[in-house]
Amino acid sequence: MRKITILNGPNLNMLGIREPGVYGKESLAAIELLVRKRAEELNISVSFFQTNHEGEMIDRIHSSYGNDDGIIINPGAWTHYSYAIRDALSAVSLPVVEVHLSNIHKREAFRHVSVVAPIAVGQIAGFGALGYVLALDAIAGQVPSGDSKA
Ligand code: CA2
């Protein structure tokens, strides 16, 4: 079975608690449920991880090496400046899909830049919680299922 890891960076544990106008009303747990439902339909095994600590995120990305088939990541504010997160993603040589709840391109100028995007297969931004489900569909297309009936 294909294994996909879904990673969330700083402050995303606050989803559903504050700023619903920008990031939607769903909590991270609710997003996880949505993604798990779609993962079941696609016969994909998913694991979730959120941290507010950059080094912890880098360690988690490294642990995907040899264990996972792809990474979906919302790097939060690290998106805009963390070469360390980008290098870690690059180092594990797995397909990466970048997700953002908000449309970062119509927000403040500093959010228009993603240092992760150049090493990602693609970026999904602006669709709220649905973006994570879309990202799963997208990454499923990048990773062969090994099942001729799928
Ligand atoms: O739109 C996204 O998903 C972001 O990655 C969210 C980040 C932001 O820095 C990026 O520019 C775009 C921030 C996540 C903060 O999440 C909060 C959730 C609820 C309340 C406050 C912050």
Side-chain angles (χ1 to χ4, degrees), residues 36-55:
R36 285 202 180 279
K37 190 166 166 273
R38 183 67 184 137
E40 224 173 282
E41 292 165 0
L42 294 170
N43 198 32
I44 288 175
S45 153
V46 285
S47 59
F48 286 78
F49 180 75
Q50 187 276 331
T51 181
N52 296 320
H53 307 278
E54 194 174 10

Side-chain angles (χ1 to χ4, degrees), residues 38 72 97 99 124 127 129-140:
R38 183 67 184 137
I72 293 170
V97 174
V99 184
I124 296 167
F127 296 101
L130 174 66
Y132 288 80
V133 179
L134 297 174
L136 189 65
D137 280 339
I139 210 159

Side-chain angles (χ1 to χ4, degrees), residues 1-24:
M1 196 188 264
R2 293 169 290 178
K3 284 171 73 182
I4 303 298
T5 277
I6 295 130
L7 304 174
N8 283 284
N11 298 308
L12 287 158
N13 55 309
M14 295 298 281
L15 282 181
I17 302 168
R18 291 201 55 249
E19 298 196 47
V22 183
Y23 298 120

Side-chain angles (χ1 to χ4, degrees), residues 10-12 14-15 18-19 23 74 76-77 80 100-102 104 107 111:
N11 298 308
L12 287 158
M14 295 298 281
L15 282 181
R18 291 201 55 249
E19 298 196 47
Y23 298 120
N74 182 344
H80 314 300
H100 298 285
L101 293 152
S102 62
I104 55 175
R107 299 186 62 197
R111 295 188 207 273

